[in-house]
Amino acid sequence: MLTSKQRAYLRGLANPLDTILMVGKGGVTGDVIQQADQALTARELIKCKVLETAPHSPRDTSSEVAQATGSEVVQVIGTKFILYRKNPKESRIPLPKAGRNI
């Protein structure tokens, strides 16, 4: 689970990224999930877009892809969303430390 500080940090990193995954009229298919999974393994942070022809809203689509890939939704804004999943073997993005647990 990401903290708000970590989400803000990841949003800043994702700002200059290009959109690498597009979900169209076919919705979230096995191919889309496979592409997202491979991209998350390679990059840890990806930007995705839901086209107007997609059957579901960007928020629903982002939740579905995140659940299928074991990632977390960082942000959904307009038709775009950002996903993050830490690579357990070779982490590339150091996250800010979480706050104190009370």
Side-chain angles (χ1 to χ4, degrees):
M1 188 86 170
L2 295 171
T3 65
S4 61
K5 187 176 185 179
Q6 291 170 336
R7 283 184 196 282
Y9 176 72
L10 290 172
R11 281 195 308 266
L13 290 178
N15 193 26
L17 293 179
D18 292 329
T19 303
I20 62 166
L21 181 73
M22 296 201 189
V23 180
K25 67 180 178 181
V28 179
T29 62
D31 288 338
V32 170
I33 292 169
Q34 183 180 7
Q35 288 176 353
D37 189 52
Q38 289 173 351
L40 284 164
T41 300
R43 302 173 183 220
E44 293 186 326
L45 187 67
I46 62 171
K47 189 183 287 188
C48 313
K49 182 175 183 173
V50 179
L51 302 176
E52 292 179 13
T53 57
H56 301 293
S57 71
R59 188 163 302 280
D60 293 340
T61 303
S62 67
S63 297
E64 192 174 344
V65 174
Q67 186 176 14
T69 59
S71 60
E72 292 197 50
V73 178
V74 175
Q75 180 181 33
V76 179
I77 186 163
T79 60
K80 294 186 179 181
F81 62 94
I82 302 165
L83 296 177
Y84 170 77
R85 182 180 71 197
K86 183 176 181 177
N87 187 339
K89 294 179 183 174
E90 184 183 335
S91 181
R92 296 172 185 238
I93 301 174
L95 290 178
K97 299 257 187 238
R100 290 186 295 170
N101 293 335
I102 298 175

